């Protein structure tokens, strides 16, 4: 429309989107900031930016690219870790179990527990939970929901500790801040480490706990650099590159 400024500016042969006020503000706050950075400095800077430009409690995330070959069976990385400060949000847990185990799950704090009736609800499109736990004897019933649960990352898995007879421990761990980390097809791990409202110490403790677990999971057969790159970011914030030498134990 004539008289209206375009949101696109032209530079050379390329069209570049005009920066928003928030993006300009974030760029200004990053000026002079050293990257790659230590995790402590990166967390401090992200909190400053989030407090200044965000109107909601952002999630702080870590993204790491590893130098391993996901095609090798002995170089698959998938496990869990309990973050000491939790994730800063209520996690709804659903447990597929029968009889006494369903009762045990409810007493442990599970939001939903049951067997056939829960499976029927999920088959009908019900997904009012964040994590699904199942006892081994109920996994056969969940098989028919694999195509539904798999893409959503909700299918219980022994490696994630969500297929177990110890439902009390599983529920307590997840409620306390247990997260799963796994390598995707592009050799990258994406994982939350808390909320922007956390203190710097809480976020740092969560990050160090996560890094301890990932470093411990390093395949013995790996040759070459383990962590190629790492970035800490927030939901709407910039990515801050980390010094990988200082986060590898």
């Amino acid at each position: 429309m004539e008289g209206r400024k375009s949101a696109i500016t032209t530079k050379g042969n390329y069209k570049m989107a005009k920066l928003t006020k928030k993006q300009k503000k974030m760029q200004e706050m990053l000026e002079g900031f050293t990257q790659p950075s230590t995790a402590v400095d990166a967390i401090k800077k992200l909190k400053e930016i989030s407090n200044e430009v965000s109107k909601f409690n952002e999630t702080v995330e870590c993204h790491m690219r590893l130098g391993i070959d996901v095609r090798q069976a002995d170089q698959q990385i998938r496990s869990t870790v309990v973050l000491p400060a939790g994730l800063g949000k209520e996690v709804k847990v659903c447990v597929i179990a029968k009889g006494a185990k369903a009762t045990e799950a409810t007493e442990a704090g599970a939001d939903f527990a049951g067997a056939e009736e829960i499976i029927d609800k999920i088959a009908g499109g019900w997904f009012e939970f964040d994590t699904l736990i199942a006892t081994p004897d109920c996994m056969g019933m969940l098989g028919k929901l694999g195509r539904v649960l798999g893409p959503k990352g909700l299918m219980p898995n022994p490696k994630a500790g969500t297929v177990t007879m110890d439902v009390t421990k599983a529920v307590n761990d997840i409620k306390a801040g247990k997260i799963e980390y796994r390598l995707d097809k592009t050799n990258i791990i994406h994982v939350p480490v808390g909320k922007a409202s956390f203190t710097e110490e809480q976020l740092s403790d969560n990050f160090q706990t996560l890094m301890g677990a990932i470093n411990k999971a390093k395949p013995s057969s790996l040759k070459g650099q383990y962590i190629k790159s790492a970035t800490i970011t927030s939901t709407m914030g910039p990515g801050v590159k980390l010094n990988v030498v200082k986060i590898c134990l």
Side-chain angles (χ1 to χ4, degrees):
M1 185 180 294
E2 292 184 7
R4 179 177 294 178
K5 291 184 178 180
S6 173
I8 303 294
T9 58
T10 303
K11 184 177 181 181
N13 295 323
Y14 299 94
K15 290 183 178 181
M16 300 186 303
K18 191 174 182 180
L19 294 178
T20 65
K21 290 182 179 180
K22 286 186 178 182
Q23 289 172 326
K24 288 181 179 179
K25 183 66 176 179
M26 287 188 287
Q27 281 192 350
E28 291 172 1
M29 295 184 73
L30 279 175
E31 287 182 3
F33 182 73
T34 302
Q35 296 190 60
S37 168
T38 64
V40 172
D41 289 341
I43 288 169
K44 182 177 181 180
K45 178 56 67 175
L46 280 177
K47 280 182 59 67
E48 289 176 0
I49 293 175
S50 183
N51 290 336
E52 184 71 25
V53 304
S54 181
K55 295 183 179 180
F56 66 98
N57 190 12
E58 296 181 294
T59 297
V60 178
E61 307 164 355
C62 183
H63 307 274
M64 283 171 281
R65 183 168 64 88
L66 304 189
I68 68 176
D69 187 352
V70 292
R71 296 171 299 178
Q72 303 298 321
D74 62 344
Q75 293 193 16
Q76 297 292 323
I77 292 181
R78 180 178 185 178
S79 190
T80 60
V81 62
V82 178
L83 302 181
L87 287 174
K89 70 173 185 178
E90 180 184 357
V91 179
K92 290 189 176 181
V93 179
C94 180
V95 178
I96 305 298
K98 299 177 181 178
K101 283 298 175 181
T103 301
E104 180 185 335
T106 300
E107 292 175 348
D111 299 275
F112 312 99
E116 289 87 354
E117 68 277 16
I118 297 290
I119 292 174
D120 289 342
K121 287 178 65 176
I122 295 173
W126 177 79
F127 291 99
E128 295 181 13
F129 54 89
D130 301 298
T131 301
L132 187 64
I133 297 169
T135 53
D137 58 308
C138 289
M139 283 302 293
M141 295 188 294
L142 278 174
K144 62 182 180 180
L145 298 179
R147 291 183 179 180
V148 177
L149 296 172
K152 293 180 178 293
L154 291 172
M155 193 67 178
N157 187 290
K159 291 184 179 180
T162 48
V163 177
T164 177
M165 290 300 290
D166 194 348
V167 293
T168 295
K169 183 179 186 304
V171 171
N172 288 339
D173 283 350
I174 291 170
K175 290 286 187 179
K178 181 180 179 180
I179 59 169
E180 179 183 9
Y181 60 89
R182 61 186 301 182
L183 205 63
D184 67 14
K185 294 180 180 179
T186 61
N187 282 11
I188 298 177
I189 289 176
H190 310 272
V191 64
V193 292
K195 290 289 185 179
S197 60
F198 282 15
T199 65
E200 293 175 25
E201 291 76 14
Q202 287 176 317
L203 286 172
S204 182
D205 286 347
N206 277 0
F207 176 78
Q208 295 301 333
T209 299
L210 170 66
M211 286 311 307
I214 290 176
N215 278 313
K216 188 176 180 180
K218 179 180 178 180
S220 58
S221 61
L222 176 67
K223 295 181 180 179
Q225 188 176 352
Y226 182 37
I227 299 179
K228 292 286 189 178
S229 64
T231 302
I232 288 184
T233 186
S234 58
T235 306
M236 302 296 290
V240 179
K241 295 180 181 178
L242 300 179
N243 187 329
V244 295
V245 175
K246 294 187 177 182
I247 63 175
C248 292
L249 302 178

